[in-house]
Amino acid sequence: MLGRLGMQSRPAERLADLLRSSERAVVLTGAGISVPSGIPDFRTPGKGLWEKVNPMEVAHIDVFRREPDRFWHFYGDRFASLRDIEPNRAHSVVAELERRGIVRGVITQNIDRLHRAAGSENVIEVHGSIELCVCPECGGRVGIDRVMELLAAGEGAPECAACIAPLKPNVVLFGEMLPEAAMMDAYALASEADLMLCIGSSLEVYPVASLPGVAKDAGARLALVTQGETPYDRDADVKLNGDVVDELEAVLAAL
Ligand code: ZN
């Protein structure tokens, strides 16, 4: 144990200490945690399928309403690219922290389902997920596998079999509000937390970006595992800015 004493000042050790001493830790994640799974952060220009289109223009609720075929031409690629990817070790560490009773829940901006795939159970997906599509007419739900079949069989938008209306992915599109129930859950979790651990998010997109402030104001400590600056760098009790997998594995090893 003497060796560990000498490492107390290391950020991973400091974060492990914070996790050990907290009772109601909450994790908040953004695109950065899924990058090691091969999902490019679309805010990084010139990457993969984001090269040819501006997602902020085409993944917009107005495009879905006016030109559902064009919308789905883009979104079909997105579904295909996300459907078969696997969670990485960073997702696994987050799931392990919940299994050990250290973390109460995960609030994520990601729509990729990877937290659930890694074993996290209390997951609040504030931007929705690709798991389902919804019929705007009747509210009917269709799973991603069936949607992919419909996309493969036809040229345009997949439709609700009952209403012949274009299905909408159960994700928050540009121009849409975040789902109220999920945000209420996220605010409740944040305001009750005694530690908020933000992973892979630049914490710049509101209203999610307000959650660390909500937690901090309620007395929580703040930990960041993210590359690049965030508006909360000065408020954070500890910041780890290396590779997200390496950092979280170091934290788990130090617990
Ligand atoms: Zn319908």
Side-chain angles (χ1 to χ4, degrees), residues 76-131:
D77 287 349
R78 181 138 206 232
F79 267 43
S81 73
L82 292 179
R83 187 175 60 162
D84 298 323
I85 52 156
E86 304 280 343
N88 63 66
R89 281 290 302 158
H91 295 103
S92 303
V93 170
V94 171
E96 177 63 20
L97 292 175
E98 186 182 355
R99 244 189 318 271
R100 292 189 189 183
I102 295 170
V103 158
R104 291 182 79 198
V106 182
I107 303 163
T108 187
Q109 297 170 284
N110 300 336
I111 63 168
D112 53 35
R113 311 183 294 179
L114 294 182
H115 282 298
R116 291 183 197 280
S120 289
E121 289 185 7
N122 185 19
V123 183
I124 301 172
E125 294 161 316
V126 291
H127 290 176
S129 101
I130 61 167
E131 185 77 26

Side-chain angles (χ1 to χ4, degrees), residues 50 52 60 72 98 106-107 150 173 195 201 231 234 245:
W50 308 110
K52 294 163 200 134
H60 196 284
W72 270 105
E98 186 182 355
V106 182
I107 303 163
L150 292 169
L173 302 177
L195 171 66
S201 174
R234 283 186 182 183
V245 169

